[in-house]
């Protein structure tokens, strides 16, 4: 659905104010940026190792960080909150509670992941470890959690630079994913037609031998004028 | 993915032991049922109103509870945990942490919902309110959260009585859903071929006028012998 990859990064640029620059001003479309007492949590980049990461996840992370050294791949930072600069939809007093879904859990309990993007190849790879709060049937990852990660990884392959929405998400689930295990989500933008962006995706075990899911998705670029409201 | 609707209810039947019956014994397939200090939380049925429910959600709940009076519809209870009777996949010491994904948040923060099922019509309706931890773009529900609820509601329409897995989930997202708003997810089993169960689904506003998403899904019944391992 609605997402804005670069918008998040841009907003984060603004959020860096307290560390080295000026705070963003109030805008015509919403209240001034209010930073909360948990400012550091909001500013934290969650796409780095924490103690809950398994050995598999750390090893893969190191491998992809190596690929980043020549600039062909880039690690994508990920945050819990974007400070709600553009929403008029929900009551002000409820706003500070809001969290980005995929970063709404404490470390290790939910979605542990890091994404890497290759802009030339139009590929995004997500290294994902599902924690105990993502359970479906006992011991297995919930299909909705898998769908969420496929959606977000495919969305990154479709567009790092623009506001897009998911128009269609079509997933074939091949095998259930064991809870706590690490999977590799590979997504690729394979066609662009006007505002339409077509992405393919698969989910595999760390050794690549087990195929857990395959998916295709369609994203649509938003009109910048309309999407701001 | 893997789910077991009735299995959960059955397990819950076993879990009722401490209230009025005997505790379930140890089995050949797993450790004896270990109830935790937060036993009451595990036993709690989350599909009933709590203070976070909006007026819309309460009104719809009351309407569907009225439909239950003649027995044509039934409210489906929903729990956080099924006590892990059948899993050998994850380390024992990690087991107590696991929660069913859609009930992993505290009241009001995540997935607030109640489902009603009509067995004659093979329909399941879910009344769903997305809380602040399910945010996608600022002020809007994350597409992955919507996909999760479509998956779970469709799964209930496919089978209340057997272990099934989601084989395919195909969602057309029509409009973004505002955070905190209530939507009605209507799912219907429309075809059964051997072990294959085909379900259609739509997501609408409370007044039915706004279509947020449409979906089809394919579920497959598991072989009871194989699925127990």
């Amino acid at each position: 659905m609605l997402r804005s990859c670069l918008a998040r990064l841009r907003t984060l640029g603004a959020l860096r104010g307290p560390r080295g620059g000026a705070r963003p001003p109030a805008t015509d479309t919403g209240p001034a940026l209010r930073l909360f007492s948990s400012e550091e949590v909001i500013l934290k980049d969650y796409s780095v190792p924490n103690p809950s990461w398994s050995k598999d996840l750390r090893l893969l992370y190191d491998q992809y960080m190596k690929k980043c050294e020549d600039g062909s791949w880039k690690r994508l930072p990920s945050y819990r909150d974007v400070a709600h600069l553009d929403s008029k939809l929900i009551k002000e007093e409820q706003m500070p509670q809001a969290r980005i879904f995929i970063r709404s859990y404490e470390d290790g309990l939910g979605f542990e992941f890091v994404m890497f993007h290759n802009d030339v190849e139009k590929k995004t790879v997500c290294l994902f470890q599902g924690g105990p709060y993502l359970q479906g049937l006992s011991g297995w990852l919930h299909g909705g959690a898998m769908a969420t990660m496929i959606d977000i990884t495919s969305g990154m392959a479709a567009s790092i630079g623009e506001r897009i929405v998911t128009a269609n998400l079509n997933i074939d689930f091949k095998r259930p994913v064991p809870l706590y295990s690490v999977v590799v989500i590979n997504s690729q933008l394979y066609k662009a037609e006007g505002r339409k962006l077509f992405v393919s995706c698969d989910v595999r075990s760390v050794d690549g031998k087990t195929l857990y899911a395959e998916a295709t998705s369609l994203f649509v670029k938003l009109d910048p004028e309309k999407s701001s409201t």
Side-chain angles (χ1 to χ4, degrees), chain A:
Chain A
M1 311 246 329
L2 269 178
R3 84 198 45 250
S4 172
C5 307
L6 192 59
R8 283 180 197 160
L9 304 183
R10 271 196 228 109
T11 308
L12 242 289
L15 277 167
R16 284 196 194 109
R19 282 180 181 161
R23 294 242 180 147
T27 68
D28 292 341
T29 56
L33 178 63
R34 289 174 299 141
L35 290 173
F36 321 123
S37 58
S38 54
E39 191 171 292
E40 284 308 312
V41 173
I42 294 170
L43 295 171
K44 179 180 167 187
D45 176 3
Y46 285 84
S47 281
V48 293
N50 69 50
S52 79
W53 284 28
S54 67
K55 193 178 165 189
D56 278 348
L57 188 52
R58 284 169 186 271
L59 282 172
L60 279 171
Y61 175 83
D62 290 343
Q63 286 172 19
Y64 273 89
M65 287 303 285
K66 268 242 172 281
K67 290 187 183 186
C68 292
E69 288 174 2
D70 66 3
S72 57
W73 288 81
K74 279 186 181 157
R75 186 183 68 85
L76 301 177
S78 168
Y79 307 93
R80 176 174 284 179
D81 200 291
V82 290
H84 320 294
L85 281 171
D86 61 358
S87 176
K88 295 175 181 174
L89 279 164
I90 52 180
K91 293 177 190 168
E92 282 232 356
E93 64 268 27
Q94 290 174 321
M95 304 279 275
Q97 268 202 304
R99 291 183 181 180
I100 302 293
F101 178 38
I102 48 172
R103 292 300 184 191
S104 61
Y105 294 98
E106 299 311 311
D107 285 354
L109 295 179
F111 301 95
E112 289 297 336
F113 69 91
V114 54
M115 285 192 270
F116 294 88
H117 182 75
N118 185 314
D119 202 46
V120 175
E121 297 181 16
K122 304 299 180 196
K123 283 182 179 174
T124 299
V125 170
C126 178
L127 316 175
F128 168 54
Q129 173 185 300
Y133 282 18
L134 308 185
Q135 183 174 239
L137 195 62
S138 188
W140 304 94
L141 187 75
H142 196 288
M146 196 68 259
T148 298
M149 293 311 301
I150 289 171
D151 178 44
I152 207 83
T153 307
S154 299
M156 285 292 183
S159 176
I160 290 285
E162 287 165 286
R163 280 173 184 246
I164 57 172
V165 291
T166 313
N168 176 264
L169 184 61
N170 189 350
I171 304 172
D172 285 325
F173 295 100
K174 305 289 189 183
R175 285 172 177 274
V177 176
L179 213 58
Y180 293 109
S181 70
V182 176
V183 296
V184 181
I185 308 170
N186 301 283
S187 64
Q188 164 108 49
L189 175 69
Y190 67 90
K191 190 166 68 172
E193 283 180 355
R195 291 166 53 214
K196 293 181 179 174
L197 304 161
F198 298 83
V199 177
S200 63
C201 183
D202 66 39
V203 183
R204 291 183 178 275
S205 56
V206 171
D207 64 8
K209 291 178 182 170
T210 304
L211 177 64
Y212 290 115
E214 286 180 313
T216 57
S217 44
L218 166 62
F219 297 88
V220 178
K221 288 182 200 174
L222 291 180
D223 180 331
E225 294 299 313
K226 290 180 182 170
S227 68
S228 67
T229 54

